[in-house]
Amino acid sequence: MAAVPRVTDAYDVMRIREDFPILARRVNGRPLVYLDSAASAQQPATVIDAVAGYSREHHANVHRGIHTLSQEATALYEAARERVRRFVNARSASEIVFVRGTTEAINLVAQAHGRAQLEQGDEILISWLEHHSNIVPWQLLCEQTGAILRVVPIDRRGVVDNDAYAGMLGPRTRIVALAQVSNALGTVLPLRELLELARRRGITTVVDGAQAVPHQRVDVQQLGCDFYAFSGHKMYGPTGIGVLYGRESILESMPPWQGGGEMILSVSFSGTTYNHLPHRFEAGTPNIAGAVGLGAAIDYIEAVGIDRIGRHEQELLASATAQLASIPGLTLIGTAPQKSSLVSFAVDGIHPHDLGTVLDSEGIAVRTGHHCAMPVMEFFGVPATTRASFGLYNSRAEIDELYGAVLRAIRMLR
Ligand code: PLP
C-alpha cells in the first residue's frame, strides 16, 4: 500500500497539489482549476494506490472466508472501519456502518429507525437549507407513517433561525435532522447548541455531515448526535462508499433495513436471527475497495491536519468572498457569519449555466444549478447559482484566476 505523505509544518499548497495526479491535467488547453470539491473532491495518489493495491493483491469477499485472501480483505475492511471510528471519535467500531454515501445513510435512518418509531401526527424537524437527501427521505417517511415534516426558516444571510427552531420543538417532535454545513450556501450551523435542545427532550438527532467532515474536526460524542452521515467522495476518497455513525444503543434497538447475506447469523424457514452491529445494517457484499480507499483518505487528511486544512480554506473563502463581492451586479447567495469553504453567487442578467460554460472554456470547474437544494433557490428567488467550492489543494492563485475569469465572462456575456 502507498505510504502516507509527509507534510511539513508550513501549509505548502503547491507541494500538496503534487499528491493529486488529476491536478496536473489541462482542460480546454488551460491548467485545470478545480473548484467543485463540494460536489466531489479529487483523490490523492495514496487513495488511488490503496484501492489499486487492494484490487491487485488482496481482493476477495470479506467475513467468514477461511482462505488467506479473504482474511486479508476482511482485515483491511475492518481496519478502515476503525480508522473511521477514530476520525469521528465514535465510542466503538460497532457504531460505524458502511453505506454508499450520505443519501443512503439518511434513508437507512428514516426507514429502519423512523418507520418503526413514528406514528400519525408525530413531527420531523429539518431546516430550510437542507440538501434534497435530507428532505426527501423524511417526506417518504411522512407518507408512510402519517408523520408531519416541519421546516425551520432561514434568514436572508442563510442563517437558520435558532429561536424559531427552539419554538418548533414540540411534544410530538420525534426526529431532528440537520446539516452541519449547507452545500448550497456554506452556512455552518451551531449544531452543538441546536442538538442539545433536542436531546434534552429525548428527540432523535440526525446530522448530515457531508459538507463538514472534509473541512472541520468532527467529534460525534461532543456533538451528542444519535446519527451522523457522510460520503467518502467529498473527503478525497472514492465514490460509492460512505458512513452512517449511529449511537450503539439506538442501532441495537433498530430492526434491519435490507435483508440478505452478511446481515444474518442464521437463516431457516422457521426464522432468521440477525447479525451483530454493525453487520446487521450491511446486507450483501460491501464496497470493500471503497472502504480501503476511504481509510487512505482519512490517513491523508490526518497527515495534512484537519485544523490546518480548515484554516487554509478559510483564507481562500475570505479572498474569494472579497474579490467576488467587489464585482458590480454580482450577488453572493449565502452570507452567514460562520461559513465553510464555498461561495455561491448570482450575476444580474446572466444564467449560471452560461457563466459556468465560459469558465469551463478557461479550464475552471465550478458547479452551476440548484445544488440539490431547490427550496434554498426558491427562498432566494433564483433558479440556480454558480458555486465555487474549495478543497485542501486549492491555492490563492486559483481564487485570483476565478475572479479574473468571472470578470471576463461577464464582459463577454453581457
Ligand atoms: N448532503 C449534503 C449537504 C451534500 O452536499 C450532499 C452531496 O452533495 C449529500 C448530502 C448527498 O451526498 P451523496 O450524493 O454522496 O449521497
Side-chain angles (χ1 to χ4, degrees), residues 38-39 101-104 131 133 179 181-183 208 210-211 231 233-234:
T102 309
T103 304
E104 188 170 67
H131 187 280
S133 62
V181 174
S182 154
N183 70 305
D208 172 351
Q211 297 295 342
S231 302
H233 67 102
K234 295 187 195 287

Side-chain angles (χ1 to χ4, degrees), residues 37-40 100-107 129-134 179-184 208-212 229-234 239-242 342 367 371-372 387:
S37 296
S40 220
R100 271 193 306 134
T102 309
T103 304
E104 188 170 67
I106 296 173
N107 277 279
L129 54 63
E130 303 303 324
H131 187 280
H132 296 164
S133 62
N134 200 26
Q180 189 161 16
V181 174
S182 154
N183 70 305
D208 172 351
Q211 297 295 342
F230 57 100
S231 302
H233 67 102
K234 295 187 195 287
T239 54
I241 186 78
L342 64 89
R367 184 139 300 240
H371 317 296
C372 295
R387 182 186 72 184

Side-chain angles (χ1 to χ4, degrees), residues 62-370:
V62 288
H63 301 138
R64 294 176 315 280
I66 206 70
H67 63 78
T68 301
L69 288 188
S70 175
Q71 290 185 18
E72 286 175 6
T74 303
L76 287 167
Y77 183 66
E78 293 304 328
R81 196 191 305 279
E82 172 56 24
R83 278 195 186 82
V84 173
R85 182 206 69 72
R86 213 183 49 213
F87 185 61
V88 297
N89 195 30
R91 285 170 209 82
S92 152
S94 304
E95 300 182 313
I96 303 300
V97 180
F98 281 127
V99 289
R100 271 193 306 134
T102 309
T103 304
E104 188 170 67
I106 296 173
N107 277 279
L108 194 166
V109 176
Q111 291 303 310
H113 172 74
R115 207 157 173 184
Q117 298 291 325
L118 267 60
E119 293 173 359
Q120 176 104 22
D122 283 344
E123 294 176 7
I124 302 163
L125 197 55
I126 63 171
S127 86
W128 207 281
L129 54 63
E130 303 303 324
H131 187 280
H132 296 164
S133 62
N134 200 26
I135 300 174
V136 185
W138 306 117
Q139 289 177 324
L140 290 170
L141 180 61
C142 288
E143 280 172 21
Q144 290 157 347
T145 60
I148 299 159
L149 187 64
R150 303 195 67 199
V151 184
V152 184
I154 53 176
D155 67 18
R156 297 303 298 173
R157 299 168 302 166
V159 173
V160 172
D161 184 334
N162 290 354
D163 294 337
Y165 167 81
M168 290 170 82
L169 291 170
R172 297 299 300 269
T173 314
R174 297 285 176 261
I175 295 175
V176 162
L178 295 171
Q180 189 161 16
V181 174
S182 154
N183 70 305
L185 302 169
T187 311
V188 180
L189 279 71
L191 268 198
R192 257 181 95 173
E193 297 78 44
L194 297 178
L195 297 186
E196 173 62 21
L197 289 178
R199 219 153 42 107
R200 274 197 236 135
R201 294 174 149 83
I203 298 167
T204 301
T205 54
V206 184
V207 178
D208 172 351
Q211 297 295 342
V213 281
H215 310 297
Q216 65 185 78
R217 190 173 293 281
V218 168
D219 181 327
V220 291
Q221 295 190 56
Q222 258 186 19
L223 269 181
C225 55
D226 294 311
F227 296 101
Y228 192 98
F230 57 100
S231 302
H233 67 102
K234 295 187 195 287
M235 50 182 289
Y236 314 104
T239 54
I241 186 78
V243 173
L244 173 67
Y245 156 81
R247 190 192 293 277
E248 191 159 1
S249 55
I250 200 163
L251 284 179
E252 281 291 6
S253 73
M254 284 160 53
W257 181 39
Q258 296 176 325
E262 287 281 326
M263 52 75 69
I264 50 84
L265 284 178
S266 71
V267 176
S268 79
F269 290 119
S270 56
T272 288
T273 54
Y274 303 128
N275 206 341
H276 307 294
L277 294 178
H279 310 292
R280 190 189 306 165
F281 296 103
E282 293 182 2
T285 301
N287 183 355
I288 309 160
V292 169
L294 177 58
I298 290 174
D299 286 348
Y300 188 85
I301 291 173
E302 288 179 341
V304 179
I306 189 74
D307 297 331
R308 298 168 77 229
I309 294 169
R311 280 196 296 275
H312 172 70
E313 291 172 344
Q314 283 297 315
E315 284 174 23
L316 299 179
L317 174 66
S319 166
T321 304
Q323 294 199 63
L324 292 172
S326 73
I327 298 177
L330 186 149
T331 308
L332 291 171
I333 310 281
T335 50
Q338 300 297 322
K339 272 186 69 172
S340 190
S341 106
L342 64 89
V343 281
S344 230
F345 56 93
V347 182
D348 291 348
I350 296 178
H351 196 282
H353 291 330
D354 295 335
L355 183 58
T357 305
V358 174
L359 294 180
D360 182 59
S361 73
E362 296 202 24
I364 300 176
V366 294
R367 184 139 300 240
T368 59
H370 54 62

